[in-house]
Every structure is written in structure tokens, then in C-alpha cells.
């Protein structure tokens, strides 16, 4: 399995390099478990939200040292974003984002954003359409004629500092746009969903870092983590993919399952995606 995994990963890197390569993603541990990201900053959270949502039109509207709510004794550091997913302004506590617990193979900012969206969906299903019930962690805000934002749940005000400039944020926005350009190319070339292509680019970047760090060799821990990542990407394990080539009934079932997961046809999956990306011929 080690040799097979190494070759398949190199094939993945070649695919991504031909489309511009690289992408977002965090580093850290490579064992599946519980994590949180205590050092994430507002712009990184927004970039990760865009990656999860498949957009790049969200942005940090305010910064923590400029929001009126942050100046109230006992309150946390807050920032406001334009949330493209729901087409609304939203205030978010930075401390809350840093405390979100998620399950993944390694610590990364994208998982923070994904878990935030899961929490948000749960709140919406519970009837809390404007944020968490009390507006303690995040809430929808409205822009007032005075130029302030007002929390729908809390009633707190957030100041609009339109002249603020964050050079590091602008740089990250450019980096983010490049990421989505690459994802669009991969999606077109391999006829897969944009979500799948973003995951491919992120995984390729992770593999590249692993190979660089380990002088071209993947450790057993790295391989275990990547096998889990591949299963997350395709919906099946590499063992299942290999066994599918030995049994026609299993092959049809696996192809249908993976095709649905990555957003393509079974024919495209068998003839192009699996051979060229993972080096698998069924």
C-alpha cells in the first residue's frame, strides 16, 4: 500500500501542477481527533468560509479594535463580515471562533469554518434565523442610516469604519482568488463539482508539504492521514476502489457512490478521473 499511495499522490500533484497547483489549508497534526484553532484571525476565518461555501465575495467589514461592542466592558473582540452565502451582514466574536471544537485529521482553518456553518445550520433549524439565540457568539446585523451596524438579537452597535485598510487582508484576498481560479480549472478539466476540485487542490498542497518536509518520503502517519483524506474526498477507501476492479457488481456500486460524491458521471470517473488523478484503472 505504501508504494501505491506514494505513486497516487505524485499523480495527484502532477494533475494540480498542470492547473496551477497549490491551495489553502492548514497544517498541524495528522491524526483524526478533536481540535480547535486558538490563533485563527478574522481574515483567515473569512477566507475559509469562502472556501467552504464556494465563493470569494465575503469580506471582513470591520476589525476588532474598531467595533463599538468590543469597547463595552465584558464584551469580546468582534468583527463584521458581509456573508455572501446568506446575503447579509453578520457580527462574529473572534474568541468564539477560536473556541469552536471540530473533528478532523489535522488542525486547519477550513474545518473551523465548516463547523461554524454546521452550528449555524443547527441554529436556523431551531428557529434562530438571526444568529445564536442571545447574540453572544454571532448575530445578523443591519446597517443603519447613521453608518453604524446594529445587532438584531443583542441591539449592540458596531461602527462602520469605511476608510480602514488591512494590507494583509488584501493580500489574502488575492491569494484566495487564485485558489478559486485553480479550482475552476480543475473542475473544468476533470468535470467534477467545484467543491471536489477545491478539496483536490487543498489535498495536493498538503501532500506537497508532506513530501517536502520528509524529503520525498511519506511517513506511516502521513499515509494514514492521507488515506482518510482520500476517503473523505471520494466517499470510499482505496481498498474499496481496488477491490471494485475485481468484481463487476462491486465496481458498478462503487462507481455510482463515488460519482455522486464528487459530482460527475460514472463514465467520466472510470475513464478519466480515477486513472489520471489516483492512477487507478478498474
Amino acid at each position: 500500500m505504501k508504494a501505491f499511495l506514494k505513486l497516487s499522490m505524485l499523480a495527484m500533484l502532477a494533475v494540480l501542477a498542470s492547473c496551477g497547483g497549490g491551495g489553502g489549508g492548514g497544517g498541524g497534526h495528522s491524526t483524526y481527533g478533536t481540535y480547535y484553532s486558538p490563533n485563527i484571525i478574522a481574515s483567515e476565518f473569512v477566507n475559509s468560509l469562502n472556501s467552504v461555501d464556494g465563493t470569494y465575495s465575503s469580506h471582513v467589514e470591520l476589525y476588532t479594535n474598531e467595533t463599538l461592542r468590543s469597547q463595552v466592558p465584558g464584551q469580546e473582540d468582534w468583527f463584521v463580515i458581509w456573508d455572501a452565502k446568506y446575503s447579509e451582514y453578520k457580527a462574529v466574536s473572534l474568541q468564539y471562533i477560536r473556541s469552536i471544537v471540530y473533528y478532523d485529521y489535522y488542525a486547519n482553518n477550513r474545518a473551523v469554518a465548516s463547523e461554524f456553518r454546521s452550528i449555524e445550520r443547527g441554529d436556523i433549524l431551531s428557529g434562530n434565523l438571526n444568529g445564536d439565540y442571545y447574540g453572544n457568539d454571532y448575530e445578523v446585523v443591519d446597517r443603519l442610516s447613521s453608518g453604524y451596524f446594529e445587532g438584531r438579537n443583542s441591539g449592540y452597535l458596531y461602527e462602520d469604519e469605511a476608510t480602514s485598510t488591512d494590507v494583509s487582508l488584501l493580500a489574502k484576498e488575492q491569494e484566495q482568488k487564485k485558489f478559486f481560479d485553480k479550482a475552476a480549472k480543475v473542475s473544468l478539466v476533470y468535470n467534477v463539482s467545484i467543491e471536489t476540485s477545491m478539496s483536490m487542490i487543498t489535498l495536493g498542497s498538503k501532500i506537497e508539504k508532506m513530501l517536502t518536509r520528509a524529503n520525498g518520503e511519506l511517513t506511516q502517519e502521513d499515509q494514514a492521514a492521507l488515506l482518510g483524506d482520500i476517503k473523505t474526498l471520494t466517499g470510499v477507501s482505496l481498498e474499496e476502489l481496488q477491490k471494485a476492479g475485481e468484481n463487476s457488481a462491486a465496481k458498478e456500486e462503487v462507481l455510482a457512490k463515488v460519482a455522486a460524491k464528487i459530482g460527475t458521471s460514472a463514465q467520466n470517473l472510470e475513464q478519466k478521473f480515477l486513472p489520471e488523478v489516483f492512477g487507478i484503472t478498474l
Side-chain angles (χ1 to χ4, degrees):
M1 178 60 70
K2 180 177 180 180
F4 172 78
L5 182 59
K6 175 70 176 295
L7 290 173
S8 66
M9 293 301 96
L10 291 176
M12 166 72 88
L13 287 175
V15 168
L16 298 179
S18 68
C19 293
H29 309 289
S30 57
T31 304
Y32 189 83
T34 304
Y35 300 101
Y36 67 102
S37 299
N39 299 315
I40 189 172
I41 61 177
S43 57
E44 291 172 341
F45 171 69
V46 171
N47 288 339
S48 298
L49 267 187
N50 287 325
S51 176
V52 169
D53 297 339
T55 69
Y56 57 87
S57 55
S58 295
H59 61 275
V60 177
E61 180 74 20
L62 308 178
Y63 308 104
T64 55
N65 63 346
E66 296 168 349
T67 58
L68 294 181
R69 184 172 182 178
S70 301
Q71 298 172 14
V72 177
Q75 288 299 307
E76 299 182 338
D77 293 327
W78 289 78
F79 58 95
V80 176
I81 66 171
W82 167 252
D83 189 345
K85 181 177 177 67
Y86 293 104
S87 298
E88 61 192 10
Y89 288 104
K90 190 166 293 172
V92 186
S93 162
L94 183 60
Q95 281 81 354
Y96 171 65
I97 294 302
R98 290 175 171 176
S99 71
I100 289 178
V101 175
Y102 54 89
Y103 297 90
D104 210 322
Y105 293 96
Y106 57 99
N108 66 98
N109 293 337
R110 196 175 191 277
V112 179
S114 179
E115 184 62 25
F116 175 82
R117 286 303 193 204
S118 295
I119 294 170
E120 189 175 39
R121 283 193 297 272
D123 288 337
I124 291 173
L125 291 174
S126 299
N128 301 320
L129 302 180
N130 298 317
D132 68 282
Y133 187 76
Y134 295 104
N136 291 328
D137 300 324
Y138 74 98
E139 65 175 339
V140 176
V141 296
D142 298 306
R143 185 189 288 272
L144 305 178
S145 59
S146 61
Y148 293 94
F149 291 95
E150 181 179 45
R152 289 185 187 174
N153 286 334
S154 69
Y156 278 110
L157 293 179
Y158 304 83
E159 188 175 7
D160 180 10
E161 293 285 354
T163 59
S164 298
T165 302
D166 187 329
V167 176
S168 62
L169 175 61
L170 295 176
K172 281 198 173 279
E173 287 178 344
Q174 290 298 316
E175 179 182 348
Q176 183 181 359
K177 187 177 186 305
K178 291 179 182 178
F179 174 80
F180 282 103
D181 287 343
K182 295 169 188 173
K185 290 179 182 178
V186 172
S187 177
L188 180 63
V189 170
Y190 290 95
N191 191 24
V192 295
S193 68
I194 191 67
E195 291 81 5
T196 296
S197 63
M198 288 191 293
S199 296
M200 290 168 63
I201 292 174
T202 301
L203 180 56
S205 177
K206 179 180 177 181
I207 296 164
E208 190 171 23
K209 291 176 182 177
M210 285 181 173
L211 291 173
T212 300
R213 182 192 67 218
N215 296 319
E217 293 293 331
L218 295 175
T219 66
Q220 290 185 345
E221 184 183 38
D222 287 339
Q223 290 189 57
L226 291 176
L227 284 170
D229 289 335
I230 293 170
K231 186 173 183 179
T232 299
L233 174 66
T234 63
V236 299
S237 66
L238 281 177
E239 289 86 349
E240 289 177 279
L241 286 171
Q242 290 177 305
K243 290 180 180 178
E246 304 168 2
N247 183 294
S248 58
K251 173 182 175 180
E252 185 175 344
E253 182 179 346
V254 167
L255 284 177
K257 185 176 181 180
V258 178
K261 181 69 168 61
I262 69 174
T264 192
S265 67
Q267 181 180 14
N268 178 64
L269 176 67
E270 181 179 9
Q271 296 180 359
K272 186 175 183 66
F273 184 84
L274 289 179
E276 295 185 17
V277 176
F278 292 110
I280 297 176
T281 302
L282 299 182

